[in-house]
Amino acid sequence: TGCHRKKKLILLQHYHHLMTMLYCWYATTNAWKYNNNNPYFAAMNLMVHSVMYSWYSATRTGWKSPKTLMMMITMIQLLQMFGGVSIVYV
């Protein structure tokens, strides 16, 4: 279950965290020899998660997030995913 409000985690959350863990392991042990872009990937991940958790914290205080902001956060998550893939494979 999720650590907030006892909600079950969806498959996508499990997949995301498993793939991120495997990527970090592989990049740390092997890929750095061929592509040293991991600091960029990590910085992008830090920025996106900072926005996500700031938004989440604000909503836990009772603040009602505008739908456009929720959509923008989803968009930066998608951009991170595609940006991360392009950084790794370029």
Side-chain angles (χ1 to χ4, degrees):
T1 62
C3 55
H4 302 290
R5 296 185 287 161
K6 306 274 187 230
K7 285 188 172 182
K8 284 191 172 242
L9 294 176
I10 62 172
L11 179 61
L12 182 60
Q13 290 170 313
H14 289 286
Y15 175 79
H16 164 75
H17 289 102
L18 175 64
M19 290 299 108
T20 302
M21 180 193 69
L22 291 175
Y23 167 75
C24 290
W25 169 79
Y26 177 77
T28 301
T29 58
N30 297 300
W32 65 270
K33 301 171 200 169
Y34 312 106
N35 180 345
N36 197 18
N37 290 330
N38 291 331
Y40 301 109
F41 182 87
M44 184 172 45
N45 191 53
L46 174 64
M47 288 187 290
V48 170
H49 280 78
S50 295
V51 170
M52 286 171 26
Y53 288 116
S54 295
W55 171 83
Y56 181 78
S57 296
T59 61
R60 295 300 95 206
T61 66
W63 174 71
K64 299 293 183 196
S65 175
K67 187 167 180 86
T68 55
L69 182 58
M70 289 187 266
M71 291 169 63
M72 286 174 36
I73 291 172
T74 300
M75 183 58 65
I76 65 168
Q77 289 175 296
L78 290 170
L79 290 172
Q80 177 198 2
M81 182 182 69
F82 290 116
V85 168
S86 68
I87 285 172
V88 171
Y89 290 108
V90 171

